[in-house]
Amino acid sequence: IKGLTTSLFGSLYGPVRNLTIESNIVYAGKNDACQAGSDYGLGILCHYVYATGSDSYVTNAAVENVTVKGSVSMTAPTNAAHAFQMGGLSGASNGVPFSNCVNKADVTLADGYSVAAHSSGSTAYVVYVGGVLGTSQSNASSSLTNCRNEGTVTFAASSVGETSGAGGIVGYVGNKNAQDFLISGLKRLEYRGY
């Protein structure tokens, strides 16, 4: 599939297999991405992918042998009042296995993007950017097997929450505060002559 300027799917609740998509998506405001609660997601395949839907017949969701090409970028105005997840394939995954997937798209959070404080006024919303997925909720069904990122991931946001971040494959995995385990992991890193 070529020439798309938006995600192929909004929310995805079933299997997708053996597909190549080429898109150039620019997020320029709230209506360009899919909203789930106070969060927004963006990816070339879909905004969000879920293991099961509200209907009991939706099961066995999986993303297999999917390649995306092109670009995904956010140029939203500063002080956007929402959280955001962005990835080459999908903004977020909840309990879905990904296998043999390749991101060849450039994923870019534009310089100068900032996120407004929560309604309490004390904490900025989080933003996660990843080559394949923005976020992946950690549970028994979530996995990435033989997936890779061949595109660039750029995280140039000026003002986001303390736990915001980026990764070559996934921006964040799990249900916990990312800062605690990221800092402890970085402290354990050792130089190996690379």
Side-chain angles (χ1 to χ4, degrees):
I1 299 173
K2 291 185 177 185
L4 298 177
T5 56
T6 188
S7 301
L8 182 61
F9 300 105
S11 295
L12 180 61
Y13 293 96
V16 174
R17 295 180 178 90
N18 307 318
L19 183 63
T20 299
I21 308 167
E22 187 166 348
S23 286
N24 292 302
I25 300 173
V26 177
Y27 174 86
K30 289 185 179 180
N31 295 327
D32 293 343
C34 180
Q35 182 178 11
S38 63
D39 294 344
Y40 288 78
L42 186 63
I44 291 175
L45 174 64
C46 60
H47 304 297
Y48 296 96
V49 58
Y50 298 94
T52 59
S54 57
D55 300 315
S56 60
Y57 63 86
V58 180
T59 59
N60 301 321
V63 179
E64 301 171 355
N65 303 312
V66 174
T67 298
V68 296
K69 303 174 184 178
S71 63
V72 180
S73 62
M74 181 192 298
T75 59
T78 59
N79 297 319
H82 55 271
F84 200 86
Q85 300 102 43
M86 179 170 57
L89 272 80
S90 178
S93 170
N94 189 349
V96 176
F98 282 68
S99 61
N100 303 310
C101 294
V102 180
N103 173 52
K104 296 183 178 185
D106 294 329
V107 181
T108 305
L109 180 64
D111 185 27
Y113 176 83
S114 66
V115 182
H118 282 287
S119 58
S120 67
S122 61
T123 306
Y125 281 97
V126 297
V127 176
Y128 294 112
V129 179
V132 176
L133 296 171
T135 63
S136 177
Q137 293 301 312
S138 180
N139 66 38
S141 300
S142 293
S143 64
L144 282 95
T145 306
N146 297 321
C147 294
R148 67 183 188 275
N149 175 40
E150 296 178 5
T152 60
V153 176
T154 304
F155 187 96
S158 61
S159 176
V160 294
E162 291 178 0
T163 59
S164 296
I169 303 293
V170 180
Y172 174 70
V173 177
N175 305 351
K176 297 181 180 178
N177 183 335
Q179 183 177 9
D180 297 335
F181 69 82
L182 285 175
I183 297 300
S184 66
L186 289 171
K187 288 178 181 177
R188 291 192 310 265
L189 285 177
E190 62 181 284
Y191 178 71
R192 298 184 183 181
Y194 297 113

